Amino acid sequence: MKIGRNDPCWCGSGQKYKKCHAAFDDRLTELKNEGHIIPPHSIIKTPEQIEGIRNSAKVNVAVLDYVAAHIKEGVSTEEINEWVDSETRRLGGIPAPLNYNGFPKSVCTSLNDEVCHGIPDKNIILKDGDIINVDCSTIVNGYFSDSSRMFCIGNVSEDKKRLVEVAKESLQVGLDAIKPWGFLGDMADAIHTFAVKNGYSVVREIGGHGCGLEFHEEPWVGYIAHKGTEMVMAPGMVFTIEPMINMGEPDIVQDEENGWTIYTEDGMPSAQWEIQVLITETGTEILSW
């Protein structure tokens, strides 16, 4: 049913539609008529929802800070899982990965050639020269946050260090390419071009995702699309940027035994940093990093 200009806005602000999201919807309609993919209203976050996501992100960031202060050679990935679980709960949150589609732990810990979704284990001990991605996701009062960091353990080789650094730099490259009312493909193209220029490849099959009211929402955020393609980035959208950068080829394989862990097919290292961002009227706000 078409909303009247003097009716309450669909976003729940309490304002009249004409003073709230009427111009927003007009712009979306224009873009849709031009053949572009536009976001549904369901993924445009209200100010109240954004504040809830921010509060969740504060816990998520604090948990990653705790990991950063304690991670070292000799620690097991199960210990990291225990840190994340206990700290998240102590701060009033719930670990989002635990039991999500059957995932058995409270955090993902992905080492060296593990691209993502590594499962913590008491028998996996961090060694000198390892690189590891710790991926934390948190629920606070029903709101979701999600981000990850890379950690270099001990004396890491120069080629691994560079991989980790370029993977982190790719996030800023992606952020720089984001303009409100631009396209997800603008960001994807910038990240992919940057990674390839530095001699790396980008995983094609796994990407970022909307996040806030659910763990995984629209849109799916890939990193091999071209400028001017994919969904319009409208103010109020919240999603993760998390390109997986491989030292070797982009091809991946899934662990057949646990059904979760993704590896590089060629056994070369992979690195990934993840941030959660809000599209604003003027640019972006990093919510969780």
Side-chain angles (χ1 to χ4, degrees):
M1 184 172 64
K2 185 175 177 61
I3 188 169
R5 292 183 63 78
N6 288 311
D7 291 339
C9 187
W10 53 262
C11 75
S13 66
Q15 297 184 63
K16 291 183 178 180
Y17 177 56
K18 65 183 179 183
K19 290 187 175 294
C20 194
H21 272 93
F24 177 95
D25 283 348
D26 287 345
R27 189 158 189 180
L28 286 183
T29 298
E30 289 176 9
L31 288 162
K32 183 178 180 180
N33 290 340
E34 292 171 7
H36 299 296
I37 303 167
I38 63 170
H41 285 169
S42 61
I43 67 170
I44 303 300
K45 306 300 187 285
T46 67
E48 180 183 6
Q49 291 168 343
I50 291 167
E51 190 58 30
I53 299 166
R54 283 195 187 106
N55 289 332
S56 178
K58 288 176 184 176
V59 174
N60 204 63
V61 171
V63 172
L64 279 169
D65 287 345
Y66 184 93
V67 172
H70 293 83
I71 196 168
K72 61 182 180 180
E73 183 181 355
V75 166
S76 73
T77 54
E78 175 56 28
E79 286 179 85
I80 298 172
N81 178 70
E82 291 168 1
W83 297 342
V84 169
D85 190 90
S86 63
E87 278 298 295
T88 302
R89 296 181 191 279
R90 185 182 71 81
L91 295 170
I94 300 168
L98 186 61
N99 299 320
Y100 178 77
N101 289 338
F103 190 79
K105 298 292 181 176
S106 296
V107 66
C108 296
T109 52
S110 305
L111 276 145
N112 300 322
D113 67 332
E114 294 176 345
V115 175
C116 61
H117 304 158
I119 300 176
D121 190 303
K122 65 181 181 180
N123 296 315
I124 300 176
I125 309 298
L126 298 184
K127 302 187 299 296
D128 185 62
D130 283 338
I131 58 172
I132 181 172
N133 176 270
V134 178
D135 190 347
C136 285
S137 311
T138 302
I139 312 168
V140 175
N141 296 325
Y143 294 101
F144 290 75
S145 52
D146 190 10
S147 56
S148 77
R149 299 180 194 172
M150 292 296 299
F151 298 99
C152 293
I153 307 302
N155 299 301
V156 173
S157 65
E158 289 302 318
D159 58 346
K160 279 187 177 180
K161 280 184 185 177
R162 182 171 178 272
L163 173 68
V164 170
E165 289 167 2
V166 169
K168 188 174 186 179
E169 290 168 2
S170 74
L171 296 183
Q172 188 59 54
V173 169
L175 284 170
D176 291 344
I178 292 177
K179 301 293 184 291
W181 303 103
F183 305 93
L184 283 171
D186 301 343
M187 176 191 64
D189 185 79
I191 288 174
H192 188 262
T193 300
F194 178 75
V196 171
K197 181 180 177 181
N198 280 277
Y200 302 120
S201 64
V202 183
V203 172
R204 299 162 295 204
E205 298 89 344
I206 307 173
H209 52 91
C211 182
L213 305 185
E214 301 289 342
F215 194 174
H216 291 83
E217 306 171 353
E218 288 189 75
W220 184 79
V221 182
Y223 306 101
I224 58 170
H226 298 293
K227 290 180 181 179
T229 67
E230 303 298 325
M231 187 178 285
V232 171
M233 295 184 289
M237 288 174 63
V238 176
F239 55 84
T240 66
I241 304 175
E242 48 179 311
M244 298 160 200
I245 311 297
N246 292 353
M247 188 179 290
E249 297 300 315
D251 307 290
I252 56 175
V253 292
Q254 185 174 40
D255 189 306
E256 294 182 1
E257 186 175 341
N258 68 37
W260 280 101
T261 307
I262 304 297
Y263 298 86
T264 58
E265 188 174 68
D266 58 13
M268 296 287 281
S270 183
Q272 173 207 27
W273 299 75
E274 176 184 12
I275 56 175
Q276 184 177 9
V277 300
L278 163 70
I279 303 299
T280 69
E281 294 288 347
T282 57
T284 59
E285 176 188 341
I286 301 175
L287 301 172
S288 189
W289 62 92

mmCIF file of all heavy atoms in Angstrom, residues 71-98:
data_model
loop_
_atom_site.group_PDB
_atom_site.id
_atom_site.type_symbol
_atom_site.label_atom_id
_atom_site.label_comp_id
_atom_site.label_asym_id
_atom_site.label_seq_id
_atom_site.Cartn_x
_atom_site.Cartn_y
_atom_site.Cartn_z
ATOM 1 N N ILE A 71 46.999 -12.520 23.544
ATOM 2 C CA ILE A 71 47.388 -13.540 22.578
ATOM 3 C C ILE A 71 48.912 -13.606 22.453
ATOM 4 O O ILE A 71 49.590 -12.581 22.454
ATOM 5 C CB ILE A 71 46.715 -13.268 21.201
ATOM 6 C CG1 ILE A 71 46.791 -14.501 20.311
ATOM 7 C CG2 ILE A 71 47.291 -12.031 20.523
ATOM 8 C CD1 ILE A 71 45.901 -14.407 19.069
ATOM 9 N N LYS A 72 49.457 -14.815 22.369
ATOM 10 C CA LYS A 72 50.903 -14.984 22.263
ATOM 11 C C LYS A 72 51.221 -16.438 21.914
ATOM 12 O O LYS A 72 50.335 -17.306 21.919
ATOM 13 C CB LYS A 72 51.593 -14.618 23.574
ATOM 14 C CG LYS A 72 51.158 -15.480 24.755
ATOM 15 C CD LYS A 72 51.834 -15.041 26.052
ATOM 16 C CE LYS A 72 51.378 -15.911 27.223
ATOM 17 N NZ LYS A 72 52.021 -15.500 28.500
ATOM 18 N N GLU A 73 52.476 -16.680 21.631
ATOM 19 C CA GLU A 73 52.946 -18.032 21.359
ATOM 20 C C GLU A 73 52.653 -18.939 22.557
ATOM 21 O O GLU A 73 52.795 -18.521 23.715
ATOM 22 C CB GLU A 73 54.447 -17.997 21.094
ATOM 23 C CG GLU A 73 55.066 -19.342 20.735
ATOM 24 C CD GLU A 73 56.565 -19.241 20.509
ATOM 25 O OE1 GLU A 73 57.109 -18.113 20.536
ATOM 26 O OE2 GLU A 73 57.189 -20.310 20.302
ATOM 27 N N GLY A 74 52.209 -20.161 22.283
ATOM 28 C CA GLY A 74 51.919 -21.120 23.344
ATOM 29 C C GLY A 74 50.470 -21.172 23.768
ATOM 30 O O GLY A 74 50.046 -22.105 24.460
ATOM 31 N N VAL A 75 49.676 -20.170 23.355
ATOM 32 C CA VAL A 75 48.247 -20.148 23.658
ATOM 33 C C VAL A 75 47.520 -21.070 22.680
ATOM 34 O O VAL A 75 47.860 -21.129 21.493
ATOM 35 C CB VAL A 75 47.705 -18.705 23.549
ATOM 36 C CG1 VAL A 75 46.191 -18.682 23.521
ATOM 37 C CG2 VAL A 75 48.235 -17.860 24.693
ATOM 38 N N SER A 76 46.536 -21.801 23.165
ATOM 39 C CA SER A 76 45.724 -22.629 22.269
ATOM 40 C C SER A 76 44.557 -21.809 21.730
ATOM 41 O O SER A 76 44.121 -20.827 22.355
ATOM 42 C CB SER A 76 45.180 -23.862 22.996
ATOM 43 O OG SER A 76 44.143 -23.507 23.890
ATOM 44 N N THR A 77 44.042 -22.209 20.579
ATOM 45 C CA THR A 77 42.891 -21.483 20.036
ATOM 46 C C THR A 77 41.650 -21.703 20.910
ATOM 47 O O THR A 77 40.754 -20.858 20.934
ATOM 48 C CB THR A 77 42.615 -21.889 18.579
ATOM 49 O OG1 THR A 77 42.466 -23.310 18.480
ATOM 50 C CG2 THR A 77 43.744 -21.436 17.667
ATOM 51 N N GLU A 78 41.612 -22.804 21.659
ATOM 52 C CA GLU A 78 40.515 -23.010 22.602
ATOM 53 C C GLU A 78 40.579 -21.987 23.736
ATOM 54 O O GLU A 78 39.537 -21.503 24.211
ATOM 55 C CB GLU A 78 40.527 -24.425 23.162
ATOM 56 C CG GLU A 78 39.487 -24.693 24.252
ATOM 57 C CD GLU A 78 38.052 -24.402 23.824
ATOM 58 O OE1 GLU A 78 37.744 -24.507 22.618
ATOM 59 O OE2 GLU A 78 37.245 -24.065 24.713
ATOM 60 N N GLU A 79 41.782 -21.631 24.159
ATOM 61 C CA GLU A 79 41.909 -20.576 25.173
ATOM 62 C C GLU A 79 41.347 -19.260 24.651
ATOM 63 O O GLU A 79 40.689 -18.515 25.395
ATOM 64 C CB GLU A 79 43.375 -20.404 25.579
ATOM 65 C CG GLU A 79 43.930 -21.502 26.458
ATOM 66 C CD GLU A 79 45.391 -21.275 26.798
ATOM 67 O OE1 GLU A 79 45.655 -20.537 27.774
ATOM 68 O OE2 GLU A 79 46.262 -21.823 26.075
ATOM 69 N N ILE A 80 41.611 -18.952 23.386
ATOM 70 C CA ILE A 80 41.056 -17.736 22.789
ATOM 71 C C ILE A 80 39.532 -17.801 22.824
ATOM 72 O O ILE A 80 38.850 -16.824 23.156
ATOM 73 C CB ILE A 80 41.561 -17.556 21.349
ATOM 74 C CG1 ILE A 80 43.080 -17.394 21.330
ATOM 75 C CG2 ILE A 80 40.880 -16.359 20.677
ATOM 76 C CD1 ILE A 80 43.694 -17.406 19.941
ATOM 77 N N ASN A 81 38.998 -18.970 22.501
ATOM 78 C CA ASN A 81 37.548 -19.154 22.551
ATOM 79 C C ASN A 81 37.006 -18.889 23.958
ATOM 80 O O ASN A 81 35.976 -18.228 24.133
ATOM 81 C CB ASN A 81 37.205 -20.579 22.112
ATOM 82 C CG ASN A 81 35.714 -20.867 22.189
ATOM 83 O OD1 ASN A 81 34.920 -20.336 21.419
ATOM 84 N ND2 ASN A 81 35.321 -21.710 23.143
ATOM 85 N N GLU A 82 37.716 -19.385 24.971
ATOM 86 C CA GLU A 82 37.277 -19.183 26.355
ATOM 87 C C GLU A 82 37.356 -17.714 26.757
ATOM 88 O O GLU A 82 36.475 -17.208 27.454
ATOM 89 C CB GLU A 82 38.113 -20.058 27.286
ATOM 90 C CG GLU A 82 37.830 -21.545 27.112
ATOM 91 C CD GLU A 82 38.842 -22.436 27.815
ATOM 92 O OE1 GLU A 82 39.772 -21.902 28.465
ATOM 93 O OE2 GLU A 82 38.713 -23.677 27.709
ATOM 94 N N TRP A 83 38.413 -17.016 26.306
ATOM 95 C CA TRP A 83 38.512 -15.581 26.580
ATOM 96 C C TRP A 83 37.313 -14.844 25.993
ATOM 97 O O TRP A 83 36.687 -14.014 26.662
ATOM 98 C CB TRP A 83 39.768 -14.983 25.951
ATOM 99 C CG TRP A 83 41.074 -15.494 26.455
ATOM 100 C CD1 TRP A 83 41.321 -16.158 27.614
ATOM 101 C CD2 TRP A 83 42.331 -15.358 25.779
ATOM 102 N NE1 TRP A 83 42.660 -16.448 27.719
ATOM 103 C CE2 TRP A 83 43.304 -15.961 26.603
ATOM 104 C CE3 TRP A 83 42.724 -14.785 24.575
ATOM 105 C CZ2 TRP A 83 44.651 -16.009 26.246
ATOM 106 C CZ3 TRP A 83 44.062 -14.830 24.220
ATOM 107 C CH2 TRP A 83 45.016 -15.432 25.044
ATOM 108 N N VAL A 84 37.040 -15.133 24.709
ATOM 109 C CA VAL A 84 35.969 -14.426 24.008
ATOM 110 C C VAL A 84 34.624 -14.706 24.674
ATOM 111 O O VAL A 84 33.823 -13.779 24.904
ATOM 112 C CB VAL A 84 35.941 -14.821 22.519
ATOM 113 C CG1 VAL A 84 34.668 -14.315 21.840
ATOM 114 C CG2 VAL A 84 37.179 -14.292 21.806
ATOM 115 N N ASP A 85 34.363 -15.942 24.997
ATOM 116 C CA ASP A 85 33.086 -16.301 25.604
ATOM 117 C C ASP A 85 32.908 -15.600 26.953
ATOM 118 O O ASP A 85 31.877 -14.965 27.213
ATOM 119 C CB ASP A 85 32.991 -17.815 25.777
ATOM 120 C CG ASP A 85 31.594 -18.251 26.180
ATOM 121 O OD1 ASP A 85 30.778 -18.517 25.277
ATOM 122 O OD2 ASP A 85 31.312 -18.315 27.396
ATOM 123 N N SER A 86 33.925 -15.682 27.800
ATOM 124 C CA SER A 86 33.798 -15.118 29.148
ATOM 125 C C SER A 86 33.750 -13.593 29.131
ATOM 126 O O SER A 86 32.943 -12.981 29.849
ATOM 127 C CB SER A 86 34.932 -15.608 30.043
ATOM 128 O OG SER A 86 36.188 -15.173 29.566
ATOM 129 N N GLU A 87 34.586 -12.958 28.316
ATOM 130 C CA GLU A 87 34.606 -11.504 28.263
ATOM 131 C C GLU A 87 33.314 -10.957 27.652
ATOM 132 O O GLU A 87 32.770 -9.952 28.119
ATOM 133 C CB GLU A 87 35.802 -11.006 27.451
ATOM 134 C CG GLU A 87 37.095 -10.954 28.220
ATOM 135 C CD GLU A 87 37.024 -9.990 29.393
ATOM 136 O OE1 GLU A 87 36.884 -8.766 29.171
ATOM 137 O OE2 GLU A 87 37.088 -10.458 30.537
ATOM 138 N N THR A 88 32.817 -11.612 26.616
ATOM 139 C CA THR A 88 31.566 -11.166 25.999
ATOM 140 C C THR A 88 30.437 -11.194 27.015
ATOM 141 O O THR A 88 29.670 -10.227 27.151
ATOM 142 C CB THR A 88 31.205 -12.054 24.796
ATOM 143 O OG1 THR A 88 32.267 -12.013 23.837
ATOM 144 C CG2 THR A 88 29.917 -11.585 24.130
ATOM 145 N N ARG A 89 30.343 -12.277 27.753
ATOM 146 C CA ARG A 89 29.262 -12.411 28.739
ATOM 147 C C ARG A 89 29.462 -11.446 29.911
ATOM 148 O O ARG A 89 28.495 -10.876 30.436
ATOM 149 C CB ARG A 89 29.169 -13.856 29.206
ATOM 150 C CG ARG A 89 28.786 -14.821 28.078
ATOM 151 C CD ARG A 89 28.672 -16.260 28.541
ATOM 152 N NE ARG A 89 28.570 -17.171 27.404
ATOM 153 C CZ ARG A 89 27.451 -17.420 26.727
ATOM 154 N NH1 ARG A 89 26.320 -16.814 27.072
ATOM 155 N NH2 ARG A 89 27.445 -18.272 25.716
ATOM 156 N N ARG A 90 30.702 -11.256 30.328
ATOM 157 C CA ARG A 90 30.989 -10.335 31.428
ATOM 158 C C ARG A 90 30.543 -8.917 31.084
ATOM 159 O O ARG A 90 30.080 -8.165 31.962
ATOM 160 C CB ARG A 90 32.485 -10.346 31.753
ATOM 161 C CG ARG A 90 32.871 -9.498 32.965
ATOM 162 C CD ARG A 90 34.369 -9.516 33.214
ATOM 163 N NE ARG A 90 35.106 -8.760 32.199
ATOM 164 C CZ ARG A 90 35.238 -7.424 32.219
ATOM 165 N NH1 ARG A 90 34.664 -6.702 33.158
ATOM 166 N NH2 ARG A 90 35.939 -6.822 31.264
ATOM 167 N N LEU A 91 30.665 -8.561 29.805
ATOM 168 C CA LEU A 91 30.313 -7.222 29.354
ATOM 169 C C LEU A 91 28.843 -7.097 28.933
ATOM 170 O O LEU A 91 28.433 -6.065 28.413
ATOM 171 C CB LEU A 91 31.227 -6.815 28.199
ATOM 172 C CG LEU A 91 32.710 -6.660 28.571
ATOM 173 C CD1 LEU A 91 33.571 -6.506 27.325
ATOM 174 C CD2 LEU A 91 32.906 -5.459 29.505
ATOM 175 N N GLY A 92 28.077 -8.168 29.148
ATOM 176 C CA GLY A 92 26.640 -8.102 28.895
ATOM 177 C C GLY A 92 26.192 -8.566 27.530
ATOM 178 O O GLY A 92 25.038 -8.329 27.143
ATOM 179 N N GLY A 93 27.083 -9.226 26.799
ATOM 180 C CA GLY A 93 26.736 -9.707 25.471
ATOM 181 C C GLY A 93 26.628 -11.217 25.391
ATOM 182 O O GLY A 93 26.847 -11.941 26.366
ATOM 183 N N ILE A 94 26.298 -11.685 24.210
ATOM 184 C CA ILE A 94 26.228 -13.116 23.891
ATOM 185 C C ILE A 94 27.081 -13.336 22.648
ATOM 186 O O ILE A 94 26.959 -12.577 21.678
ATOM 187 C CB ILE A 94 24.774 -13.555 23.595
ATOM 188 C CG1 ILE A 94 23.873 -13.310 24.807
ATOM 189 C CG2 ILE A 94 24.726 -15.025 23.181
ATOM 190 C CD1 ILE A 94 22.393 -13.458 24.483
ATOM 191 N N PRO A 95 27.959 -14.348 22.636
ATOM 192 C CA PRO A 95 28.735 -14.632 21.419
ATOM 193 C C PRO A 95 27.820 -15.108 20.288
ATOM 194 O O PRO A 95 27.168 -16.139 20.407
ATOM 195 C CB PRO A 95 29.697 -15.742 21.861
ATOM 196 C CG PRO A 95 29.683 -15.707 23.360
ATOM 197 C CD PRO A 95 28.314 -15.251 23.745
ATOM 198 N N ALA A 96 27.767 -14.349 19.196
ATOM 199 C CA ALA A 96 26.853 -14.676 18.102
ATOM 200 C C ALA A 96 27.187 -15.985 17.380
ATOM 201 O O ALA A 96 26.275 -16.676 16.921
ATOM 202 C CB ALA A 96 26.803 -13.521 17.108
ATOM 203 N N PRO A 97 28.481 -16.358 17.230
ATOM 204 C CA PRO A 97 28.766 -17.587 16.471
ATOM 205 C C PRO A 97 28.309 -18.870 17.160
ATOM 206 O O PRO A 97 28.055 -19.871 16.478
ATOM 207 C CB PRO A 97 30.301 -17.580 16.341
ATOM 208 C CG PRO A 97 30.697 -16.162 16.560
ATOM 209 C CD PRO A 97 29.718 -15.624 17.552
ATOM 210 N N LEU A 98 28.232 -18.864 18.500
ATOM 211 C CA LEU A 98 27.957 -20.103 19.234
ATOM 212 C C LEU A 98 26.600 -20.679 18.846
ATOM 213 O O LEU A 98 25.563 -20.033 19.021
ATOM 214 C CB LEU A 98 28.008 -19.839 20.734
ATOM 215 C CG LEU A 98 27.873 -21.070 21.634
ATOM 216 C CD1 LEU A 98 29.004 -22.067 21.384
ATOM 217 C CD2 LEU A 98 27.847 -20.652 23.104
#
